[in-house]
Amino acid sequence: MRNLADLKGPYRFIMIIVKNIDALQRHLDKARANGNIGFVPTMGALHEGHLELIRTCRKENVQTIASIFVNPAQFNDPTDFQKYPVTIEKDILLLEKEECQLLFLPPVEVIYPHGFKGTAYFDLGDLDKILEGRFRPGHFQGVCKVVNRLLDIVQPTRLYLGQKDFQQCMVIQKLIELTKKNTVVRVCPTKRESDGLAMSSRNVRLSESQRKTAPLIHNTLLRAKRQIKKGSLLMIKQERTAILSEAGFRPDYFEFASLRDLAIKDTWDGEEKLVALVAAYLGEVRLIDNMIIN
Ligand code: AMP
């Protein structure tokens, strides 16, 4: 019998891809017996930000499971859903390169056997009414629907999310508390391009000139972090919004919020832990970013 290490030639990791729950459960039963399961849910069109989540998950768990599912329930804008980039073959190769053990790739009827417009409602308090929730009504209820379903199916030990979607991380943490799940949330830092632009699947929809303007969104956060001082925050918010508008953005918001509960802050006592959050359109593409201030 030959030793694996003696085998010559290229080594290729083979990832298991499953599309239905029965096949997934069979693999999960075996995987669970071997150790912790880490889960990285995505909507595909993978970039380095997603791959960093996979790498962190691989380091911290015996089994890494990714999912790709473009969730129709979380798109408040039908055009955004239709234009969402799909690059599934490339995604599979990228995941295999990272040695992700299993990809769950369900069709919509597996996730929503009764349709995605059902009446399930998650009481998130103010969390889904402010910031993104205010400008994208129903978005976080849609996120909760899909994450709740995926967590019920996969039942991972740990769930890997990106700080890029700061409010989403808080919403999912709240969902886990509400539904009394055992999964631990791990939030990983935002991965950026060399000019500071937060990586996003939607960035490919920016034109060449919009792509050059886009890093201003990150710069405006950096500037706010340097500018902030005890007292009123209104001047900074207005100034940052005006700078984005002058550069051709259509800002939805530039806000400071408490790191603890995301309550919007107009004044600062110089002590409370804050995060600055921004959302703005550049042409048809909506960009979001955030930065922890202190
Ligand atoms: P999405 O495919 O956009 O739904 O994102 C899937 C996961 O990747 C979410 O937890 C996102 O927060 C995370 N993510 C997206 N972009 C980045 C990034 N630039 N850096 C780190 N995580 C990210």
Side-chain angles (χ1 to χ4, degrees), residues 197 202-208 210-211 214 282 285 287:
L197 177 66
R202 290 182 176 89
N203 291 353
V204 294
R205 292 177 49 208
L206 294 169
S207 71
E208 209 174 306
Q210 287 167 344
R211 176 62 191 80
L282 204 45
V285 184
L287 300 172

Side-chain angles (χ1 to χ4, degrees), residues 40-50 52-53 69 74 84 160-166 168-169 172 188-192 197-202:
V40 184
T42 81
M43 296 206 296
L46 302 182
H47 50 67
E48 270 296 309
H50 298 113
E52 271 300 305
L53 300 188
F69 179 68
Q74 73 185 68
Y84 201 83
Y160 291 79
L161 304 172
Q163 191 202 313
K164 154 92 186 344
D165 298 282
F166 190 90
Q168 175 169 279
C169 295
I172 293 174
C188 303
T190 303
K191 191 89 182 164
R192 299 179 181 282
L197 177 66
M199 290 184 178
S200 163
S201 304
R202 290 182 176 89

Side-chain angles (χ1 to χ4, degrees), residues 164-278:
K164 154 92 186 344
D165 298 282
F166 190 90
Q167 190 173 5
Q168 175 169 279
C169 295
M170 294 194 86
V171 162
I172 293 174
Q173 181 62 60
K174 175 104 187 190
L175 168 76
I176 286 175
E177 283 159 27
L178 279 178
T179 53
K180 300 188 170 59
K181 298 189 201 307
N182 292 323
T183 302
V184 172
V185 171
R186 300 273 288 112
V187 179
C188 303
T190 303
K191 191 89 182 164
R192 299 179 181 282
E193 303 287 356
S194 54
D195 57 12
L197 177 66
M199 290 184 178
S200 163
S201 304
R202 290 182 176 89
N203 291 353
V204 294
R205 292 177 49 208
L206 294 169
S207 71
E208 209 174 306
S209 76
Q210 287 167 344
R211 176 62 191 80
K212 285 189 186 134
T213 309
L216 187 67
I217 208 157
H218 175 58
N219 292 343
T220 203
L221 288 164
L222 280 173
R223 185 69 193 271
K225 183 171 176 162
R226 274 186 236 122
Q227 254 181 316
I228 193 168
K229 49 184 192 301
K230 204 167 150 173
S232 174
L233 300 172
L234 293 175
M235 271 287 286
I236 307 183
K237 293 191 203 183
Q238 281 161 9
E239 206 181 290
R240 297 292 99 203
T241 313
I243 283 172
L244 287 172
S245 301
E246 276 158 31
F249 286 89
R250 279 174 290 123
D252 272 350
Y253 59 82
F254 184 102
E255 289 289 357
F256 294 98
S258 161
L259 207 56
R260 192 169 43 89
D261 57 6
L262 220 57
I264 307 285
K265 294 286 158 183
D266 289 335
T267 57
W268 186 43
D269 61 5
E271 303 269 322
E272 188 170 6
K273 298 254 182 289
L274 295 186
V275 55
L277 306 108
V278 55

Side-chain angles (χ1 to χ4, degrees), residues 53-64:
L53 300 188
I54 299 282
R55 285 173 202 135
T56 310
C57 183
R58 292 257 299 126
K59 276 186 213 136
E60 297 180 356
N61 301 276
V62 174
Q63 294 286 324
T64 291

